[in-house]
Amino acid sequence: GAARSLGAQQSAVQPGRLVIVGGALNANNEAVYRAILAGRSGSGPFCVIPTAGATPETHMAGPVANFDRYGGPGTATGVLISVAKPETALDPSVVAQLRQCSGFFFIGGIQSRVTAAFRPAGKSTPAYDALMQRWRDGAVVSGSSAGAAIMSDPMIANGPSAGAFTRGVRRLA
């Protein structure tokens, strides 16, 4: 089925780069990591968002290490926003952290977790607003697998692709 994506509220102008990786981004795919890092804007850290992961707290370390590998030590940091703790998308300290990010990478997992955390019931959170403002200001937004799926409208979620062919697409939200 299809659900509303994070990009549903995008303006017609897209000043930040989008790097949409189909899935299974290999740690040795230097070209993709460098393309993502080349889209940074500002001097803040590059922020890894693990929201789609089953255990976001532990899914940040690998991608942070991969971006540090290509961008240098201290390039990346994780920003923990989780559906298990929805208040994180409202937390002023988390929002302030997002406002400093030079770019973003959303990990794979289940894309509906990202929309549930950043736009519960289709309503924007301060974290979503901060992310979108950074993107409008020119910061790169990237993601792999579920992190790529959140960038489309409608967003593909739930069920196998065969069902979309045999029964069509339906909106969930």
Side-chain angles (χ1 to χ4, degrees), residues 146-171:
I150 63 167
M151 296 188 220
S152 67
D153 183 21
M155 180 182 79
I156 298 169
N158 302 322
S161 56
F165 286 114
T166 59
R167 292 186 300 281
V169 177
R170 63 185 177 92
R171 288 208 176 265

Side-chain angles (χ1 to χ4, degrees), residues 7-22:
Q9 300 295 318
Q10 291 177 1
S11 65
V13 178
Q14 297 184 4
R17 175 184 288 183
L18 297 177
V19 181
I20 303 169
V21 183

